[in-house]
């Protein structure tokens, strides 16, 4: 392993060497072997199993993350994702065989899955393990070599990954590079075959601009102001819990945390009064003393957030302690759309409420701003839900809960517009790091050549007309063999029953 | 609508107006209605049907494209694509219902298909209809508003499209903008929700850099040097025809045209010998007089391509006529990997041959260069084929033929690395212009809430453990084979039912069998 020299940040001059090592390993074809990929994924799983305590400690050091949040969102989430890949990888890597038309009846039509090559994955500090290692596992599953750059802000986790990954994974194929802005700037001058970045919209743009030098495709997992719409048709007790849960996890430092609430004045009052109760239940009388509430990651982020507290009026919370970078869960009312807190992603435990009178007004409010990463709709009225789903564009949606849609491994997770491009999780992670290589295999059957020979010059009207009619799109006459297995099984069923009867008759067991 | 070319400030205001109109129409939801999309696609189909001659004429003006190639590779091709989309649109727009784990049993899991908004489609001059209007139709099918910018190089076709499209399609949702580099630069300053560009790698980079201002996602359909590998196991006569067909079509000005050949000296000799025969058969004794050979699109490109003939030695062809922008089909031998003809995409009717001794030498030759858009493998040896398929990365592959993989609508078409990003064709075009919006609709069932209450603080070991075991990934009870088992059971049951019915009412069964309306089915 090159980059980690006694835990020191290596000089940027080692980057070309590290990347060349990865590129050589890729060219050797080692990562194309599915068994190798499975082995590496199993090792990654073992890394998790054998270092759970060290991970919990590192997360506590970086964010004062509680054990439950660490275990659920950083450890189990990733382990389950790896297990899901291991269970399905053999299925995923198979070349696809899409249906083919009558023209290609004699040919083979396939979609091969090629890894891109050497990919760069840049993690974020808010979920330092999950956001770095879920894409790493996806890139491994797809057969790429990987350079991982953890966020330098969550330093303890970054050090831990840099220490552990070379111990468990192949040291030629997978590398960890550490550093801040100057190192990252150098790193981005290198050529990669894919870049996966999680972080802010501003840095996302910089990453993509750098990637453009070599036309490297990117996935950008960014953020945005994810709104909550809530009306008076829902069970308010459950709804308030679910909203506050999504906001308070990681002290609001979650890319899909509910950013602000859109509701009527009446619903707002209900939320505020219930929130006080819920917070007391969760964090006791002195919230600061609760071990379950995280701290703000750095002083810079702390000061940015404290600046928001004079927007609108504090209805709940509003306490801070700079020495601990503590900001209490806070609800702001009477917030104006033009207030600073409504201009950027909050990324902290402050929840402003903006009043709207109707779902139409909520739609208008949201679509006039950048497309959010998540949109939360709390309503029992299915018509209204449909209206909101159809008219608001967002990365994803969760109705009547927050964050949970990210837990469904069959849903693609990603943003749209300023909230990002590309998506991952489950098979979508694998797809992200896979180039789908179409392949048509023709043969030299002289009859087929004869039929298709009208494509050759000298052209004539007869040839043109013939080809045009060959190409013509017709409603399929059922060359799809999709239902053949079902028909066969039905036939076997009959055959077995008849056969059984014959045998029964022959052996005299059938009394009638 | 037309290109005024009267300076960028006027075009800038016009572009913001156009974008304003399109965005307003999108926000009103106009292009999102599936019925509206279908109506527009039918109109586009009608545009092709009713203006075939005008389109053929424009293509002849721009590229001296023959009627045959104009119809087969452009008009009919694009028309079929629209027909295919119309047949499947309903199933494409339906939200997907992916499988869900036990944790979400009470909930609804869907993936919605959402248009991005206002898309920009930038066409290329080599297939001015196909590469402009197939993505254009895909963007319509996905429910976007579209601004189409045809290539100014194929001016006649651009003009016809600008005239016809507003006559057939909705004028608020769909716009055609004409212009060259200065106009395009202005246009790219506007904010789009998706940009689809077909053209060169160099311009592709510029387009993506401009798109980055608003983080607009892009599809780049670029080019590259698409190699042909050919060995001695194949029917050389057929193989030669198929390679030359792909090279000569549109006078080699095709993004997936075979760019160069990798083969042994022996195969090269056979290929050259066959090629002479084939070209004589196709174009007669005086190739220049054949109406079936296109011309190079403009003088600048003619000058560029003609210089490449100096690499290596001319084995076949090598004629040119600057006054007509004519370059004959040409095969070059004794070409070195370092020659100018090997340094850029040829995009003309010149076919250099590089000698290699083995498939592995071919693979290392290709992989030491930029990833090509297409790779053509001519071999009957399946081990060689497998080796090359696994060791060469390219946008797509066609074995034992050229270009035809594009015609399979169930195959995504697109590049990788310098040959592009993103893919289209058939449903993939629709997907390109669609944001897939994952949606979990949770139940508010109090029992479910109770079960999941362990997620709320105050946290404790018990809560953590119960949630961990709840989340745990298990080898799923797959329902994949459920339909098969069901059909088997139905088969068994129906057989028994038939027997018991036959026993009770044999006459009725006999009747049923004898009077079975077979004729109706055959």
């Amino acid at each position: 392993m090159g980059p980690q020299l006694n835990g020191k940040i290596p000089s940027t001059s080692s980057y070309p060497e590290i990347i060349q090592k990865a590129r050589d390993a890729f060219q050797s074809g080692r990562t194309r072997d599915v068994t190798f990929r499975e082995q590496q994924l199993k090792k990654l799983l073992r890394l998790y199993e054998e270092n759970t305590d060290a991970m919990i400690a590192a997360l506590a050091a970086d964010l004062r993350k509680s054990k439950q949040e660490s275990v659920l969102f950083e450890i189990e989430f990733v382990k389950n994702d790896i297990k899901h890949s291991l269970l399905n990888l053999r299925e995923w890597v198979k070349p696809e065989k899409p249906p083919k038309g009558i023209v290609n009846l004699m040919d083979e039509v396939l979609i091969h899955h090629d890894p891109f090559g050497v990919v760069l994955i840049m993690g974020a500090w808010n979920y330092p393990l999950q956001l770095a290692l879920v894409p790493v596992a996806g890139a491994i599953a797809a057969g790429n070599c990987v350079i991982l750059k953890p966020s330098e802000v969550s330093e303890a986790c970054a050090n831990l990954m840099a220490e552990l990954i070379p111990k468990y994974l192949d040291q030629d194929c997978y590398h960890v590079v550490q550093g801040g802005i100057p190192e990252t700037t150098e790193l981005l001058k290198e050529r990669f075959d894919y870049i996966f970045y999680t972080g802010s919209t501003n840095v996302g743009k910089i990453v993509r601009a750098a990637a453009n030098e070599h036309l490297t495709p990117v996935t950008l997992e960014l953020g945005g102001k994810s709104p909550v719409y809530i009306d008076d048709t829902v069970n308010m007790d459950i709804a308030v819990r679910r909203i506050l849960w999504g906001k308070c996890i990681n002290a609001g430092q979650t890319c899909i945390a509910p950013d602000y609430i859109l509701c009527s004045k009446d619903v707002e009052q209900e939320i505020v009064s219930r929130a006080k109760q819920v917070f007391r239940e969760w964090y006791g009388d002195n919230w600061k003393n609760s071990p379950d509430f995280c701290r703000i990651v750095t002083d810079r982020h702390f000061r940015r957030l404290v600046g928001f507290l004079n927007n609108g009026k504090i209805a709940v919370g509003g306490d801070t302690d700079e020495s601990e970078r503590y900001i209490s869960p806070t609800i702001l009312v009477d917030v104006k759309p033009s207030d600073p807190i409504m201009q950027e992603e909050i990324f902290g435990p402050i929840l402003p409420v903006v009043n709207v009178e109707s779902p139409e007004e909520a739609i208008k409010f949201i679509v006039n701003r950048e497309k959010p990463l998540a949109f939360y709709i709390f309503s029992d009225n299915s018509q209204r839900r449909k209206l909101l789903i159809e008219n608001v564009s967002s990365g994803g949606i969760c109705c009547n809960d927050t964050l949970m849609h990210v837990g469904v491994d069959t849903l693609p997770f990603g943003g749209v517009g300023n909230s990002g491009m590309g998506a991952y999780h489950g098979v979508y992670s694998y797809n992200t790091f896979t180039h789908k290589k179409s392949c048509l295999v023709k043969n030299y059957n002289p009859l087929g050549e004869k039929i298709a020979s009208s494509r050759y010059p000298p052209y004539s009207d007869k040839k043109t007309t013939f080809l045009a009619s060959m190409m013509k799109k017709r409603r399929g006459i059922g060359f799809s063999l999709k239902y053949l297995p079902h028909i066969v099984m039905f036939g076997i069923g009959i055959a077995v029953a008849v056969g059984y009867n014959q045998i029964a008759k022959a052996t005299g067991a059938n009394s009638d | 609508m037309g290109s005024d070319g009267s300076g960028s400030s006027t075009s800038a205001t016009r572009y913001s107006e156009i974008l304003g109109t399109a965005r307003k129409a999108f926000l009103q939801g106009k292009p999102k209605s599936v019925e509206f999309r279908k109506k527009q696609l039918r109109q586009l189909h009608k545009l092709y049907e009713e203006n075939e001659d005008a389109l053929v004429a424009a293509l002849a003006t721009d590229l001296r494209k023959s009627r045959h190639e104009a119809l087969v590779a452009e008009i009919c091709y694009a028309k079929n694509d629209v027909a295919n989309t119309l047949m499947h649109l309903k199933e494409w727009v339906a939200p997907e219902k992916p499988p869900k784990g036990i944790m979400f049993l009470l909930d609804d899991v869907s993936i919605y298909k959402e248009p991005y908004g206002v898309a920009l489609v930038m066409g290329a001059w080599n297939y001015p209809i196909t590469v402009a209007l197939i993505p254009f139709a895909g963007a319509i099918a996905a429910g976007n508003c579209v601004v189409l910018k045809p290539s100014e190089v194929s001016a006649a076709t651009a003009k016809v499209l600008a005239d016809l499209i507003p006559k057939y399609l909705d004028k608020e949702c769909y716009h055609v903008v004409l212009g060259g580099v200065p106009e395009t630069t202005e246009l790219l300053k506007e904010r789009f929700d998706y940009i689809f560009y077909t053209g060169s790698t160099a311009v592709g980079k510029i387009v993506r850099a401009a798109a980055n201002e608003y983080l607009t996602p892009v599809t780049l359909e670029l080019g590259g040097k698409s190699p042909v590998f050919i060995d001695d196991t194949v029917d050389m006569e057929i193989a030669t025809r198929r390679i030359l067909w792909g090279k000569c079509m549109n006078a080699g000005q095709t993004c997936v045209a075979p760019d160069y050949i990798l083969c042994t000296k022996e195969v090269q000799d056979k290929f050259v010998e066959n090629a002479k025969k084939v070209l004589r058969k196709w174009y007669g004794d005086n190739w220049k007089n054949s109406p079936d050979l296109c011309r190079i699109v403009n003088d600048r490109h003619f000058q560029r391509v003609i210089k490449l003939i100096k690499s290596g030695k001319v084995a076949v062809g090598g004629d040119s006529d600057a006054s007509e922008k004519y370059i004959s089909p040409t095969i070059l031998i004794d070409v070195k990997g370092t020659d100018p003809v090997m340094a850029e995409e040829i995009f003309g009717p010149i076919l250099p041959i590089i000698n290699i001794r083995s498939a592995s030498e071919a693979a290392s030759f290709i992989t030491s260069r930029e990833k090509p858009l297409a790779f053509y493998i001519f071999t009957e040896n399946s081990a060689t084929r497998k080796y090359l398929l696994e060791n060469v990365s390219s946008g797509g592959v066609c074995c034992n033929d050229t270009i035809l993989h594009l015609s399979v609508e169930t195959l995504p078409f697109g590049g990788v690395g310098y040959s592009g990003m993103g893919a289209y064709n058939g449903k993939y075009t629709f997907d390109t212009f669609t944001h897939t919006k994952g949606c979990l609709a949770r139940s508010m069932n109090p029992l479910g809430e109770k079960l999941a209450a362990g997620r709320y603080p105050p946290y404790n070991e018990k809560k953590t453990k119960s949630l961990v075991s709840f989340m745990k990934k298990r080898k799923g009870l797959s329902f994949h084979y459920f339909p098969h088992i069901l059909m088997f059971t139905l088969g068994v049951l129906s057989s028994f039912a038939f027997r018991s019915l036959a026993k009770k009412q044999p006459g009725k069964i006999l009747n049923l069998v004898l009077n079975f309306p077979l004729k109706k089915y055959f």
Side-chain angles (χ1 to χ4, degrees):
Chain A
M1 164 92 190
Q4 280 323 109
L5 308 164
N6 308 320
K8 293 269 184 328
I9 292 171
S11 82
T12 53
S13 60
S14 63
Y15 294 161
E17 195 189 313
I18 295 168
I19 289 152
Q20 193 53 48
K21 203 168 167 190
R23 199 165 291 286
D24 290 344
F26 181 76
Q27 293 294 354
S28 79
R30 203 180 325 171
T31 59
R32 291 193 171 241
D33 175 15
V34 181
T35 311
F36 176 84
R37 303 183 201 176
E38 282 175 338
Q39 268 170 13
Q40 297 299 316
L41 290 174
K42 278 180 198 150
K43 284 183 183 169
L44 188 57
L45 198 55
R46 225 181 71 215
L47 182 157
Y48 264 92
E49 276 156 4
E50 294 176 355
N51 299 282
T52 305
D53 291 340
M55 288 176 169
I56 292 171
L59 290 162
D62 285 332
L63 290 146
R64 221 202 72 166
K65 216 176 256 219
S66 64
K67 186 177 170 189
Q68 172 151 333
E69 287 184 15
S70 295
V71 169
L72 294 185
F73 307 121
E74 299 264 25
I75 297 170
E76 287 304 316
F77 188 90
V78 186
K79 270 161 68 180
N80 285 329
D81 178 76
I82 300 170
K83 284 181 194 164
H84 181 70
S85 296
L86 279 167
L87 287 173
N88 295 290
L89 190 58
R90 295 268 162 188
E91 198 56 44
W92 293 344
V93 297
K94 275 188 201 154
E96 293 164 47
K97 294 198 173 173
K100 53 189 180 184
I102 187 161
V103 187
N104 299 107
L105 216 54
M106 283 159 51
D107 313 324
E108 253 183 285
V109 173
L110 299 165
I111 303 174
H112 286 272
H113 293 180
D114 273 0
F116 280 102
V118 179
V119 310
L120 171 65
I121 291 166
M122 303 170 75
W125 54 261
N126 57 338
Y127 291 85
L129 300 179
Q130 189 207 118
L131 300 180
L133 295 180
V134 168
V136 165
I140 294 175
N144 297 277
C145 288
V146 187
I147 313 288
L148 169 65
K149 190 355 232 123
S151 169
E152 74 283 9
V153 176
S154 46
E155 202 188 344
C157 287
N159 286 333
L160 186 66
M161 282 186 274
E163 181 200 322
L164 293 178
I165 284 177
K167 279 195 194 148
Y168 285 83
L169 302 190
D170 185 280
Q171 293 186 12
D172 294 328
C173 299
Y174 315 112
H175 303 262
V176 183
V177 167
Q178 294 205 68
I181 294 171
E183 289 82 6
T184 309
T185 309
E186 280 308 309
L187 188 62
L188 282 169
K189 286 182 187 156
E190 297 295 326
R191 181 174 186 173
F192 296 96
D193 299 297
Y194 203 96
I195 299 180
F196 190 107
Y197 168 78
T198 305
S200 72
T201 301
N202 286 337
V203 179
K205 260 189 206 180
I206 296 170
V207 170
R208 190 169 178 235
N212 204 32
E213 177 62 28
H214 295 291
L215 273 176
T216 306
V218 297
T219 291
L220 301 178
E221 294 288 342
L222 312 175
K225 293 183 80 63
S226 300
V228 177
Y229 169 83
I230 175 166
D231 67 18
D232 58 5
T233 62
V234 295
N235 178 329
M236 202 51 84
D237 184 52
I238 298 181
V240 171
R241 271 167 209 278
R242 290 181 176 180
I243 295 169
L244 295 178
W245 175 74
K247 188 72 184 184
C248 291
I249 275 185
N250 215 29
Q253 301 166 104
T254 306
C255 53
I256 45 166
D259 192 274
Y260 62 95
I261 294 180
L262 292 170
C263 65
S264 68
K265 203 77 198 163
D266 294 344
V267 171
E268 175 192 295
Q269 275 162 12
E270 186 96 2
I271 292 170
V272 167
S273 74
R274 282 178 193 273
K276 287 177 183 162
Q277 237 173 286
V278 168
F279 285 141
R280 179 147 329 122
E281 210 180 285
W282 288 359
Y283 305 119
D285 288 328
N286 189 342
W287 304 352
K288 202 176 111 182
N289 288 347
S290 162
D292 300 334
F293 195 74
C294 290
R295 295 300 182 255
I296 303 305
V297 70
T298 61
D299 291 331
R300 189 168 63 86
H301 286 94
F302 175 83
R303 281 194 296 273
R304 183 182 62 83
L305 287 165
V306 167
F308 291 144
L309 289 174
N310 58 16
N311 289 191
K313 209 178 86 194
I314 293 171
V316 181
D319 300 328
T320 61
D321 180 343
E322 186 157 10
S323 70
E324 287 193 20
R325 296 190 307 274
Y326 165 78
I327 297 177
S328 75
T330 300
I331 297 176
L332 301 177
V333 295
D334 299 338
V335 174
K336 289 190 297 293
S338 54
D339 283 339
I341 196 167
M342 291 306 292
Q343 310 312 314
E344 59 180 285
E345 187 177 3
I346 298 167
F347 228 66
I350 306 170
L351 185 59
V353 182
V354 175
N355 294 130
V356 291
E357 290 312 318
S358 65
E360 288 79 11
E361 203 187 325
I363 291 170
K364 218 173 150 194
F365 189 91
I366 302 167
V367 298
N368 275 328
R369 294 172 158 68
E370 295 301 337
K371 293 178 182 178
L373 184 52
F375 177 32
Y376 299 113
I377 306 168
F378 284 79
S379 174
D380 253 0
N381 181 328
S382 61
Q383 276 311 104
R384 200 169 292 170
R385 281 210 307 259
K386 188 165 178 272
L387 178 82
L388 289 158
I389 290 174
E390 282 178 2
N391 288 288
V392 172
S393 180
S394 63
I397 289 183
C398 188
C399 297
N400 297 326
D401 210 330
T402 60
L403 315 191
M404 295 294 282
H405 59 303
V406 178
V408 186
D409 52 22
T410 50
L411 283 183
F413 171 63
V416 60
N418 267 10
S419 57
M421 57 184 75
Y424 72 126
H425 282 182
V427 73
Y428 295 98
S429 303
Y430 171 84
N431 286 339
T432 290
F433 295 106
T434 300
H435 165 58
K436 304 237 165 162
K437 185 165 74 177
S438 297
C439 181
L440 169 68
V441 184
K442 308 271 295 181
N443 57 35
Y444 292 93
N445 185 309
L447 185 70
E449 176 66 7
K450 189 92 198 158
I451 292 174
S453 67
S454 43
R455 61 170 153 155
Y456 301 129
Y459 303 141
S460 66
D461 270 343
K462 208 177 127 200
K463 280 182 172 178
T464 311
T465 316
F466 174 75
L467 274 186
S469 93
M470 276 257 291
M471 285 164 66
K472 192 163 180 134
K473 188 73 209 166
R474 291 172 183 87
R475 203 164 265 287
I477 1 172
F479 271 96
S480 159
L481 299 180
K482 202 173 141 194
Y483 292 108
L484 184 69
H486 303 87
I487 295 166
V488 170
M489 287 309 286
F490 183 76
I492 294 176
I494 293 179
V496 166
V498 171
Y500 172 80
N501 265 306
Q502 294 301 325
I503 293 165
K505 246 181 229 160
T507 55
N510 196 341
S511 58
D512 53 37
Chain B
M1 211 173 301
S3 167
D4 48 30
S6 59
S8 56
S9 60
T10 47
S11 51
T13 27
R14 211 186 57 225
Y15 296 155
S16 0
E17 269 166 36
I18 290 171
L19 264 288
T21 311
R23 197 161 296 283
K24 198 170 144 213
F26 182 77
L27 286 176
Q28 285 166 350
K30 200 172 174 185
K32 288 204 229 174
S33 138
V34 178
E35 268 322 302
F36 179 85
R37 303 183 204 181
K38 281 186 151 177
K39 199 182 141 209
Q40 298 300 317
L41 290 172
R42 275 188 224 113
Q43 283 293 107
L44 186 58
H45 197 270
K46 213 167 107 191
L47 183 156
Y48 292 130
E49 301 250 288
E50 294 178 353
N51 300 281
E52 199 175 279
D53 290 340
L55 293 168
V56 169
L59 291 166
T61 310
D62 287 330
L63 291 146
R64 221 201 72 165
K65 211 175 262 217
S66 63
R67 184 181 165 82
H68 180 92
E69 285 183 18
L71 284 175
V72 172
E74 300 239 40
I75 301 163
C76 292
Y77 188 74
K79 204 161 73 180
N80 285 332
D81 177 71
V82 173
N84 182 47
T85 305
L86 278 166
M87 273 176 206
H88 297 286
L89 190 57
K90 232 178 148 170
E91 63 194 72
W92 294 348
V93 297
E96 282 170 48
K97 296 273 174 190
K100 54 188 180 186
I102 190 156
M103 254 176 90
F104 301 101
L105 221 52
L106 294 170
D107 310 325
D108 180 71
V109 175
S110 315
I111 302 175
Y112 290 93
K113 307 298 175 72
E114 187 174 271
Y116 281 102
V118 182
L120 170 65
V121 173
M122 300 169 76
W125 54 261
N126 57 340
Y127 290 85
I129 293 176
T130 310
V131 301
L133 293 186
I134 287 185
F136 180 71
I140 295 175
N144 297 277
C145 285
V146 195
V147 176
L148 173 69
K149 199 339 240 130
S151 169
E152 75 283 9
V153 175
S154 46
T157 314
K159 172 122 198 346
V160 173
L161 294 182
D163 286 346
L164 291 177
I165 286 174
K167 281 192 194 145
Y168 284 83
L169 302 191
D170 185 273
K171 287 195 191 81
E172 285 174 4
C173 297
Y174 315 112
H175 303 263
V176 184
V177 168
L178 296 179
V181 176
E183 289 82 4
T184 308
T185 310
E186 277 306 315
L187 186 62
L188 283 169
K189 286 183 188 157
E190 296 292 329
R191 181 174 189 168
F192 294 95
D193 301 296
Y194 204 95
I195 297 179
F196 190 108
Y197 168 79
T198 304
S200 72
T201 301
V203 178
K205 262 190 202 178
I206 296 170
V207 170
R208 191 170 179 233
N212 205 30
E213 176 64 26
Y214 295 108
L215 273 175
T216 304
V218 296
T219 291
L220 301 179
E221 295 289 342
L222 313 176
K225 293 185 81 64
S226 300
V228 177
F229 169 83
I230 175 165
D231 68 16
D232 57 5
T233 62
V234 298
D235 179 327
M236 195 54 77
E237 209 187 303
I238 296 182
T240 307
R241 268 206 294 267
R242 290 179 178 178
I243 294 168
L244 291 176
W245 174 73
K247 187 73 186 182
C248 293
M249 198 190 217
N250 212 32
Q253 301 166 104
T254 305
C255 52
V256 284
D259 191 274
Y260 64 96
I261 293 180
L262 292 169
C263 65
T264 62
K265 204 98 189 150
E266 294 75 40
V267 171
Q268 171 186 302
D269 292 344
K270 279 190 215 152
F271 177 78
V272 168
E273 186 192 320
N274 273 303
K276 285 178 186 161
K277 274 188 239 162
V278 168
L279 291 172
R280 171 140 344 112
K281 199 172 161 208
W282 287 359
Y283 304 119
D285 289 326
N286 189 343
W287 302 353
K288 204 175 112 181
N289 289 347
S290 162
D292 299 335
L293 260 178
C294 289
R295 295 301 182 253
I296 304 301
V297 69
N298 60 27
D299 291 327
R300 190 168 63 86
H301 284 278
F302 176 84
Q303 292 306 333
R304 183 185 60 80
V305 177
I306 204 73
K307 279 195 199 115
L308 302 177
I309 288 191
K310 289 183 193 128
S311 301
K313 207 178 90 195
V314 173
V316 180
D319 300 327
S320 63
D321 179 345
S323 71
E324 282 196 24
K325 299 186 294 273
Y326 166 77
I327 298 176
S328 74
T330 300
I331 298 172
L332 301 176
I333 55 171
D334 297 340
V335 174
K336 290 189 296 296
T338 49
D339 283 337
V341 76
M342 291 307 292
E344 58 179 290
E345 186 176 2
I346 298 169
F347 228 67
I350 300 169
L351 185 59
I353 301 177
I354 301 263
N355 293 131
I356 42 99
R357 273 152 304 182
S358 64
S360 64
E361 202 186 325
S364 53
F365 188 90
I366 302 168
T367 51
S368 66
R369 279 139 204 277
E370 295 301 338
K371 293 178 184 176
L373 184 52
F375 178 31
Y376 300 114
I377 306 169
F378 284 77
T379 179
E380 289 266 61
N381 181 328
S382 59
T384 306
R385 198 171 81 204
K386 187 165 179 279
Y387 171 81
L388 288 169
L389 266 173
E390 282 176 4
N391 287 286
V392 174
S393 184
S394 62
V397 175
C398 186
C399 297
N400 300 322
D401 213 324
T402 59
I403 300 187
L404 283 180
H405 58 303
L406 262 70
S407 67
V408 186
E409 73 216 2
T410 50
L411 286 181
F413 168 60
V416 60
Y418 273 30
S419 58
M421 57 184 76
Y424 72 125
N425 216 4
K427 181 175 186 290
Y428 293 95
T429 317
F430 173 87
D431 290 343
T432 289
F433 292 102
T434 298
H435 165 57
T436 46
K437 184 164 74 174
C439 178
L440 167 69
R442 292 269 287 154
S443 125
M444 283 288 228
N445 186 313
L447 185 71
E449 176 67 6
K450 190 95 196 157
L451 278 174
R455 62 169 154 157
Y456 301 128
Y459 304 141
N460 59 44
E461 284 292 331
K462 210 178 121 199
K463 278 183 173 177
T464 310
K465 274 202 185 119
S466 89
L467 283 177
V468 166
S469 88
F470 197 47
M471 280 166 71
K472 196 163 188 136
K473 187 78 206 169
R474 292 173 181 88
K475 202 168 179 75
L477 233 181
S478 166
F479 289 101
H480 187 76
Y481 290 108
F482 181 72
H484 302 82
I485 295 166
L486 184 72
M487 289 308 286
F488 176 79
T489 318
L490 277 177
V492 173
L493 287 178
S494 72
S495 159
F496 279 111
F498 182 83
R499 265 169 47 85
S500 78
L501 206 64
K503 228 175 264 167
K504 277 179 201 149
Q505 295 168 300
K508 203 170 177 183
I509 284 293
L510 193 68
N511 224 11
L512 198 76
V513 172
L514 289 177
N515 294 327
F516 189 74
L518 274 178
K519 280 201 191 94
K520 209 169 122 189
Y521 294 92
F522 291 97

